Amino acid sequence: FTLAWACSAIAAEQPNVVVIMTDDQGYGEFSCHGNPIAQSPNIDRLASESLRLLDFHVAPMCTPTRGQLMTGLDAFRSGAINVSSGRTLLRPELRTMANVFRDGGYRTGIFGKWHLGDNYPFRPEDRGFDEALWFPSSHINSVPDFWDNDYFDDTYIHNGKREKYTGYCTDIFFDKAIGWMKRSADEEQPFFAYIPLNSAHWPWFVPNKYRQPVRDAMERHPEVVKHLNEKKRESLVSFLAMGANIDDNVGKLDHFLSDAGLKQNTIVVFLTDNGSTFGPDYFNAGMRGKKTTLWEGGHRVPCFIRWPGGTLGQPRNISQLSHVQDLLPTLADLAGVNAVPEKLDGESLAPVFRGQRDSLDDRM
């Protein structure tokens, strides 16, 4: 009885962790970063309540970023170095962020895009996730995916079995994640939820109701898109509409955390996986380049970290040069999880966040 009580007390003190990563949105895709067309009120609010990493970098395309996030290692160490051609496979002997948190007493779940291997022993359910809802390869509708998935009423892989779902992909991933978080909280189990979206990756399929507000914003700011042909402009409309749907879902998650009494002790991280696919065409927050390029527009992305009841202090800007490889050791440090591999390329930013150090050593 005493042991059970002690374990319950420890679990109650551990913060929950939620990592949201969107696909192909760049630093400039959010109204809080000056975008005159995109409207992202819920993500803007999250940013206003967070530590905002102003010099945060990822890989310029998705698989390397995802492997670096999961392992804290450079892509050439993890083996996940490209988006296709057999080079997406995360070395099976490596421990992932899910392994680290599960070994630390957490329930672990993924809801969305994995892109680090589609078959045993590379699947998310093989890599530390207790709950896994995902689809194979780079995007919904890719060749290995279930035939004719189109973002609506699709068939995904749930804990090793294909299951059909009703609704739009992003809505489903957030809804299932929220339901799983609720069950974990009801059972007084801390959780690590990873929500890596396929949105706003091509193909740009989205509920039509999100398109007209974007068109209206373009009419208010014709100078931003006047040089685009009609086809390019309509593609941008759908891309930004997907961003608006993502924003709605971030708001839905926030409402759940608040209503369930979980917001104060939940660390929420928001980032994107690489630079924008559209940024240089209309708004790139002053940066050069886009996805797949080595210019800053290809790899400098937003990263917001919020923990209202934790040890982060007041919301503020953090200018420390930082990288997606830092998130594994940082989150484990903040959560008091000690099962982190010894040799990582990433470094914990927690001492900087807590004011224990002004900066880390030269990281170039």
Side-chain angles (χ1 to χ4, degrees), residues 107-158:
R107 287 185 179 171
T108 57
I110 178 174
F111 307 87
K113 175 175 174 176
W114 175 238
H115 206 186
L116 292 170
D118 300 340
N119 54 281
Y120 179 86
F122 302 103
R123 306 167 302 172
E125 53 262 43
D126 307 319
R127 309 308 297 265
F129 286 99
D130 302 314
E131 181 79 2
L133 175 61
W134 61 289
F135 57 88
S137 194
S138 58
H139 59 282
I140 293 173
N141 200 251
S142 64
V143 171
D145 196 19
F146 190 80
W147 175 252
D148 212 25
N149 272 356
D150 63 359
Y151 290 35
F152 296 89
D153 302 335
D154 290 339
T155 297
Y156 307 128
I157 302 169
H158 180 218

Side-chain angles (χ1 to χ4, degrees), residues 11 13-20 69-70 97-98 100-101 106-111 129 177 180-181 184 189-195 253 257 262-263 265-270 305-307 327-328 330-337:
E13 294 172 359
Q14 289 180 292
N16 304 303
V17 179
V18 179
V19 177
I20 306 164
L69 171 67
M70 284 292 105
M97 189 180 290
V100 168
F101 275 95
Y106 281 69
R107 287 185 179 171
T108 57
I110 178 174
F111 307 87
F129 286 99
W180 175 82
M181 291 181 220
S184 298
Q189 289 291 318
F191 55 77
F192 164 64
Y194 179 36
I195 311 176
L253 172 65
L257 293 174
L262 299 173
K263 182 175 179 178
N265 200 34
T266 298
I267 301 171
V268 176
V269 181
F270 179 91
I305 303 177
R306 184 186 71 190
W307 186 14
L327 288 181
L328 170 54
T330 299
L331 292 174
D333 191 345
L334 293 175
V337 172

